[in-house]
Amino acid sequence: MIVAKGLDGIVVEKTVLSRVDGQQGLLIYRGYHIDEIAKCTFEEVCYLFLFGKLPTAPELANLDQRLKSHRRVDPQVLSFIQQAPAGEEPMALLRTAVSMLSGYLPRVEDNSPDALTENAIALISQVATIAAAISRVKHKQAPVDPDLTLSHAANYLFMSRGERVNDVVSKTLDTALVLHIDHGFNASTFSARVVVSTLTDIVSAVVAAIGSLKGPLHGGANTAVMQMLLEIGELENVEPYVNEAMAAKQKIPGFGHRVYKTFDPRAKHLKAMSEAWGKRVGNVKWFTMSEKLEALMWDKKQLNANVDFYSASTYYAMGIDPALYTVIFAVARMVGWTSHIIEQLADNRLMRPESEYVGPEGLKWVGITDR
Ligand SMILES: CC(C)(COP(=O)(O)OP(=O)(O)OC[C@H]1O[C@@H](n2cnc3c(N)ncnc32)[C@H](O)[C@@H]1OP(=O)(O)O)[C@@H](O)C(=O)NCCC(=O)NCCS
């Protein structure tokens, strides 16, 4: 029996949603290279994933309207966030709050294509409202009602900050969200597909995905990157930090990838955004430190920066609390998760791999007093 530990190199399904080519450093969303996709808005890419093509103007307006119609979440969900124990990890809070949505979504147990699409749109919309409320409550502020005139990204920032942001800020977040929407059979997407392959409901599947994304080997790495940069503190501390981490065989968050053996094509865009934001706010320190770390990691381990590395310094320069970076990742990835759930259900086969048992056999029962 061959054990495929970590499922390295195992192909479990076909997908039309995204292609990750680790040798060439390619990421394709439904036929479009990520460099082309980076020119689109979040709502356009959302349409592409849910409906299979880039929208015309009326089609986009229609999806935009549908997303906005779901923006408000039930007050019970917001009040749960407000009453949660102070200091609860934001992704843990997000996981529970999204789980509560099953009580409020239309036809949540209905896995017909129409109901799935409507619930996907609702989840994509409402995860942003919940994420913003988590940010508000973490900073001891009351949640803010959504603004139905704003785009998804601008409204998320409005609900988080309690005031409208300028177009440069919202455009940066919009593009960052687009870059995080999907990425093949990553751990959280695979989790969602495994869960829904039992024919359970869409909310159960995305809740599993949120739990998976939370881990530091996956989406949790972006928060860990900023914590590390803050701990390093100054440019001159970067090299000693890396040397110590290498000597202790510690992993540096934001580097390495299971699939990419070359540059992560999303990192190029985020690196440019990080530099531009450093210059915009008159503080390129975090970008410069990041560049130095990147060069050292290449020299010492031939490891490249991944998507989580430069998103950290970009968000930091934008004034976003590092504790919330993974939550923002989830806001974007909800599009990928729900699209994969719909794809899985369209041609489902229960995911049920096997394991090789390596424990003992033939043991005999003995009474408790004789053990
Ligand atoms: C993402 C990740 C889990 C993929 O790793 P993987 O395919 O399982 O690769 P491995 O963990 O087996 O690592 C292979 C080698 O590279 C090293 N390596 C991988 N990522 C590393 C990192 N971030 N820092 C230092 N060394 C790293 C391992 O120590 C190992 O070295 P060795 O052969 O000398 O023991 C891994 O790169 C990692 O933990 N990165 C940090 C977390 C992160 O940024 N996650 C977000 C991914 S988008």
Side-chain angles (χ1 to χ4, degrees), residues 133-200:
I134 290 171
S135 166
R136 298 288 294 171
V137 171
K138 183 171 185 302
H139 298 109
K140 304 199 175 358
Q141 295 160 319
V144 169
D145 278 344
D147 182 333
L148 301 189
T149 66
L150 296 175
S151 72
H152 191 71
N155 175 58
Y156 168 78
L157 289 161
F158 167 73
M159 290 188 296
S160 306
R161 298 184 182 192
E163 59 185 22
R164 286 182 174 219
V165 297
N166 67 44
D167 289 351
V168 182
V169 186
S170 57
K171 183 62 201 152
T172 304
L173 184 67
D174 191 275
T175 304
L177 293 179
V178 163
L179 295 171
H180 285 80
I181 278 180
D182 199 40
H183 205 239
F185 271 39
N186 60 88
S188 58
T189 299
F190 183 55
S191 304
R193 290 188 75 133
V194 169
V195 170
V196 90
S197 80
T198 69
L199 301 186
T200 186

Side-chain angles (χ1 to χ4, degrees), residues 60-314:
L60 182 61
N62 181 270
L63 176 64
D64 189 47
Q65 217 33 58
R66 288 172 81 180
L67 283 164
K68 284 174 175 161
S69 72
H70 288 291
R71 260 185 198 166
R72 285 178 214 286
V73 302
D74 193 275
Q76 299 266 25
V77 179
L78 296 179
S79 110
F80 156 74
I81 294 168
Q82 288 173 290
Q83 285 160 28
E88 184 172 4
E89 217 286 324
M91 282 295 281
L93 214 46
L94 184 79
R95 187 194 58 224
T96 310
V98 169
S99 185
M100 288 178 76
L101 293 181
S102 63
Y104 306 99
L105 288 186
R107 297 189 288 158
V108 73
E109 300 295 335
D110 182 348
N111 280 345
S112 66
D114 277 2
L116 280 172
T117 304
E118 197 57 37
N119 284 326
I121 293 170
L123 283 164
I124 292 163
S125 181
Q126 297 196 355
V127 73
T129 308
I130 291 173
I134 290 171
S135 166
R136 298 288 294 171
V137 171
K138 183 171 185 302
H139 298 109
K140 304 199 175 358
Q141 295 160 319
V144 169
D145 278 344
D147 182 333
L148 301 189
T149 66
L150 296 175
S151 72
H152 191 71
N155 175 58
Y156 168 78
L157 289 161
F158 167 73
M159 290 188 296
S160 306
R161 298 184 182 192
E163 59 185 22
R164 286 182 174 219
V165 297
N166 67 44
D167 289 351
V168 182
V169 186
S170 57
K171 183 62 201 152
T172 304
L173 184 67
D174 191 275
T175 304
L177 293 179
V178 163
L179 295 171
H180 285 80
I181 278 180
D182 199 40
H183 205 239
F185 271 39
N186 60 88
S188 58
T189 299
F190 183 55
S191 304
R193 290 188 75 133
V194 169
V195 170
V196 90
S197 80
T198 69
L199 301 186
T200 186
D201 63 284
I202 189 170
V203 175
S204 298
V206 300
V207 166
I210 293 171
S212 167
L213 187 74
K214 175 173 175 285
L217 295 187
H218 191 7
N222 55 11
T223 291
V225 168
M226 200 60 228
Q227 285 164 343
M228 171 184 69
L229 290 173
L230 292 166
E231 189 191 328
I232 296 173
E234 297 298 334
L235 186 62
E236 63 265 26
N237 299 338
V238 172
E239 189 154 7
Y241 182 93
V242 172
N243 288 339
E244 253 179 61
M246 292 289 118
K249 298 219 167 295
Q250 267 171 23
K251 288 211 175 146
I252 306 272
F255 287 92
H257 201 274
R258 175 61 60 80
V259 182
Y260 290 123
K261 298 305 164 210
T262 179
F263 204 72
D264 180 332
R266 303 164 296 177
K268 174 181 80 180
H269 293 274
L270 288 156
K271 182 174 181 176
M273 285 153 77
S274 168
E275 183 172 20
W277 265 92
K279 288 180 179 156
R280 189 167 290 123
V281 298
N283 180 6
V284 289
K285 171 175 158 175
W286 307 110
F287 172 73
T288 314
M289 283 171 62
S290 300
E291 258 201 322
K292 172 117 195 229
L293 244 163
E294 187 189 2
L296 285 168
M297 289 301 283
W298 178 254
D299 282 353
K300 291 178 193 294
K301 292 286 285 184
Q302 284 73 56
L303 285 172
N304 285 299
N306 58 45
V307 69
D308 296 309
F309 190 61
Y310 282 105
S311 58
S313 46
T314 306

